[in-house]
Amino acid sequence: MAKYFEHFPVINYKGTRCRDITRRSQFIQKVTSNPYLYMPYTVKEGERPQDIAQDYYGSVDYDWIVLMANNIIDPYYQWPLEEDDFKKFLIDKYAFQSGEIGEAVIDWLRDENIDENIIYYYRPV
């Protein structure tokens, strides 16, 4: 994301000129709603936004376009995690709820015979 922040406005903060990182640049609505401007793509294991920017745009400096086009604000948690990192995330998040430890948490999450591993946003009547 070397050049991403160059697109943020420069402000005066306590007597120092700096980038206003509290704002988020956004694509124009006409661009984001046009399906002909995007190519379907599935992120491969271990692939980073910089890799895709290099392949598609010829420079890692355009990784911010990849992130912005996918409405990603936090590239550390909104970008697909590698399988091992994702498993660790799930284990950390659901260990207490499942009452399990380690890989048993993953098994608990996959168990179709229980419903404690499902978060209901609404219950059908």
Side-chain angles (χ1 to χ4, degrees):
M1 287 193 285
K3 298 199 180 220
Y4 176 75
F5 291 105
E6 290 179 9
H7 301 279
F8 286 77
V10 175
I11 61 169
N12 186 356
Y13 179 74
K14 295 184 179 181
T16 303
R17 290 177 49 82
C18 58
R19 297 280 175 191
D20 184 359
I21 62 170
T22 63
R23 298 186 190 190
R24 182 165 190 263
S25 301
Q26 294 186 356
F27 281 138
I28 299 170
Q29 183 62 30
K30 281 184 178 180
V31 175
T32 57
S33 63
N34 186 342
Y36 297 111
L37 296 177
Y38 297 96
M39 293 174 51
Y41 186 81
T42 302
V43 177
K44 297 174 191 74
E45 176 78 16
E47 198 167 39
R48 306 297 312 148
Q50 299 86 334
D51 302 325
I52 296 170
Q54 180 65 46
D55 292 344
Y56 278 84
Y57 305 115
S59 173
V60 296
D61 293 334
Y62 297 116
D63 60 346
W64 65 271
I65 294 175
V66 174
L67 296 170
M68 189 174 288
N70 290 283
N71 200 26
I72 293 175
I73 295 170
D74 182 352
Y76 299 104
Y77 289 100
Q78 289 180 301
W79 187 260
L81 295 172
E82 292 186 32
E83 186 174 356
D84 290 341
D85 294 334
F86 185 58
K87 282 183 178 181
K88 182 181 180 322
F89 170 79
L90 291 173
I91 291 167
D92 292 345
K93 184 171 182 173
Y94 294 106
F96 179 78
Q97 183 179 349
S98 69
E100 304 289 345
I101 58 172
E103 290 287 326
V105 175
I106 304 298
D107 296 335
W108 177 83
L109 289 166
R110 291 182 179 152
D111 190 341
E112 296 175 6
N113 298 317
I114 59 173
D115 63 2
E116 294 90 28
N117 58 2
I118 299 172
I119 298 172
Y120 289 103
Y121 292 101
Y122 69 93
R123 289 194 183 263
V125 184

